[in-house]
Amino acid sequence: MGYDYLVVGAGLFGAAFARQMTDAGKKVLVIEKRNHIAGNVYTEEIEGIQVHRYGAHIFHTSDTEIWNYVNRFAEFNRYTNSPVANYHGNLYSLPFNMYTFNRMWGVTSPEEAKTIISHQRKEAGITEPRNLEEQAISLVGTDIYEILIKGYTEKQWGRPCTELPAFIIRRLPVRFTFDNNYFNDRYQGIPMGGYTKMVANMLEGIEVRLEEDYLQNKQMWDASAQKVVYTGPVDAYFHNCFGPLSYRSIRFETEVLDTPNFQGNAVFNYTDRETPYTRIIEHKWFEFGTQPQTVISREYSLEACPGAEPYYPVNDETNNTLYQKYRELALKEPKTLFGGRLGEYRYYDMDKVLHSALELAKKEITAEET
């Protein structure tokens, strides 16, 4: 065996784990099915603009340890996530704040907004939400639900809100202030020069092989290392023996426009059901671009059928029950560790992905020392 660890996947989880184990003196090989590193946070330069090929990624965290960690590999700008919602041409601020309520109802005070929301919640009379629609209305009332949640959510999940479980929306960002920052975290920003550069710095000095499909040559790859860290789909690892897990995917339409400013903001969500795409990203505004042209991407949500990239686990009751069967198999694997969004079948924010990778590395290093 030539390596201590074989890491399958050069995304954030794989890169962070590989970095930690390499720094601990282990010999690590990283293989990646795609033709590039950085997984879904991959950025590529088009017309001098860092384009988020697989959708917008804004790094945010309240974990000082994680923030210090990523700053080892990149300098972050001061980008603040302030998306705008477009509903049939009417624009609303996200998260739901006083700008939103003023646009929707003409109110100017927090007390007025609270009164309207409270009245709508009371009129709905929902005490035990049975689905996502009832859960959302019980939290924010009918107007916000109908205008800013219903259409977007149904496009995103490909199902009526009445057929989605209530637990998908545990809370909603409602602020009775004029704060347009979507996140509440202490730290936030975009790595200057793009995420690909940051991940390349994480993988510096580590052997990486691209366009290598682990599952097609699993026996050969397993023989190359003492342990394997697998970040691909957990169901695919076990040949879908219990049946496939459900994922949502995204189709992107990206184009270069001969204008310096298309929409004036990085993220526009289209919350009506009739617009086929969920949002438009104008990439240059992630880094305060001054280029004479701009690049936009329209995002279309769809089921992850064979050949489509799996992005979001569908963590409903059926799929979570199915995942537990795969997890039991994963725990019995003698030399393989599972991690990341696909390996653990859960949606992670980037800081949580890194935290999970660092914790796994710490556990491995501690086990070696004892």
Side-chain angles (χ1 to χ4, degrees):
M1 294 184 180
Y3 302 92
D4 296 303
Y5 289 89
L6 170 71
V7 177
V8 181
L12 280 179
F13 189 100
F17 182 87
R19 177 77 272 150
Q20 296 305 100
M21 301 313 295
T22 299
D23 290 350
K26 301 300 179 182
K27 189 174 182 182
V28 180
L29 169 65
V30 178
I31 62 172
E32 169 58 53
K33 187 176 180 180
R34 293 169 172 171
N35 64 358
H36 60 75
I37 63 171
N40 284 355
V41 302
Y42 174 70
T43 51
E44 59 181 335
E45 186 173 313
I46 300 176
E47 300 296 335
I49 298 166
Q50 290 296 326
V51 173
H52 297 217
R53 184 193 284 186
Y54 304 101
H57 288 85
I58 298 97
F59 195 90
H60 59 99
T61 187
S62 292
D63 189 326
T64 301
E65 181 182 355
I66 294 298
W67 182 244
N68 291 337
Y69 183 77
V70 293
N71 276 270
R72 286 175 50 190
F73 310 105
E75 181 181 355
F76 282 73
N77 66 20
R78 59 172 182 82
Y79 178 80
T80 299
N81 190 30
S82 301
V84 176
N86 184 320
Y87 180 79
H88 294 306
N90 295 312
L91 305 184
Y92 300 87
S93 293
L94 295 175
F96 314 134
N97 64 13
M98 286 304 299
Y99 289 114
T100 314
F101 309 143
N102 174 263
R103 182 76 175 91
M104 189 170 294
W105 302 311
V107 300
T108 57
S109 73
E111 200 59 41
E112 291 174 291
K114 289 179 182 179
T115 298
I116 292 174
I117 292 174
S118 177
H119 175 72
Q120 292 185 359
R121 292 171 60 190
K122 186 177 180 180
E123 272 203 330
I126 299 167
T127 55
E128 294 186 14
R130 297 167 296 178
N131 52 54
L132 186 146
E133 176 170 288
E134 293 184 354
Q135 173 75 351
I137 292 173
S138 72
L139 291 171
V140 295
T142 51
D143 287 350
I144 295 174
Y145 168 70
E146 291 288 344
I147 294 172
L148 299 177
I149 298 173
K150 179 179 171 66
Y152 186 90
T153 303
E154 291 185 346
K155 288 187 291 186
Q156 186 179 39
W157 292 100
R159 298 159 175 80
C161 287
T162 52
E163 296 178 12
L164 290 167
F167 66 76
I168 288 179
I169 294 183
R170 300 186 189 278
R171 63 184 67 89
L172 288 167
V174 179
R175 294 186 189 148
F176 298 98
T177 68
F178 290 90
D179 181 4
N180 269 343
N181 184 358
Y182 190 82
F183 300 122
N184 290 315
D185 290 304
R186 182 182 302 176
Y187 310 108
Q188 182 176 180
I190 303 283
M192 296 171 67
Y195 284 99
T196 303
K197 180 180 178 182
M198 182 185 83
V199 175
N201 289 338
M202 294 172 72
L203 292 169
E204 184 177 0
I206 300 171
E207 185 178 353
V208 179
R209 301 185 195 178
L210 302 177
E211 298 183 274
E212 296 286 1
D213 192 328
Y214 167 75
L215 293 179
Q216 284 190 357
N217 297 286
K218 184 176 181 300
Q219 187 174 1
M220 178 195 77
W221 290 118
D222 286 347
S224 70
Q226 293 183 27
K227 284 190 174 182
V228 175
V229 175
Y230 175 80
T231 67
V234 62
D235 50 342
Y237 181 93
F238 294 107
H239 310 288
N240 297 314
C241 63
F242 298 125
L245 292 164
S246 296
Y247 300 88
R248 294 295 288 174
S249 188
I250 306 173
R251 177 173 64 86
F252 300 93
E253 287 183 355
T254 299
E255 58 180 316
V256 178
L257 302 178
D258 193 20
T259 177
N261 189 351
F262 173 73
Q263 63 187 19
N265 198 54
V267 181
F268 258 72
N269 289 0
Y270 286 77
T271 60
D272 60 273
R273 191 67 180 85
E274 293 74 24
T275 302
Y277 41 84
T278 55
R279 62 183 182 175
I280 296 179
I281 306 301
E282 188 168 9
H283 301 270
K284 69 188 301 178
W285 302 128
F286 288 129
E287 297 193 47
F288 315 106
T290 58
Q291 297 86 351
Q293 293 178 298
T294 195
V295 181
I296 66 168
S297 297
R298 292 179 178 86
E299 298 185 8
Y300 299 80
S301 184
L302 64 153
E303 287 294 319
C305 55
E309 190 70 33
Y311 285 91
Y312 304 111
V314 181
N315 290 125
D316 58 17
E317 186 175 348
T318 299
N319 281 286
N320 286 342
T321 299
L322 181 59
Y323 166 65
Q324 289 305 316
K325 294 183 179 180
Y326 284 116
R327 185 173 183 273
E328 289 175 12
L329 289 183
L331 292 173
K332 296 175 183 176
E333 283 292 288
K335 61 179 287 183
T336 303
L337 306 170
F338 294 78
R341 176 175 47 88
L342 302 179
E344 297 176 68
Y345 197 68
R346 59 182 294 187
Y347 182 75
Y348 274 128
D349 285 333
M350 287 181 283
D351 63 328
K352 301 301 189 297
V353 169
L354 290 170
H355 178 80
S356 179
L358 297 183
E359 286 299 304
L360 180 61
K362 189 183 299 182
K363 182 178 178 181
E364 287 295 298
I365 293 168
T366 301
E368 288 278 344
E369 290 174 348
T370 56

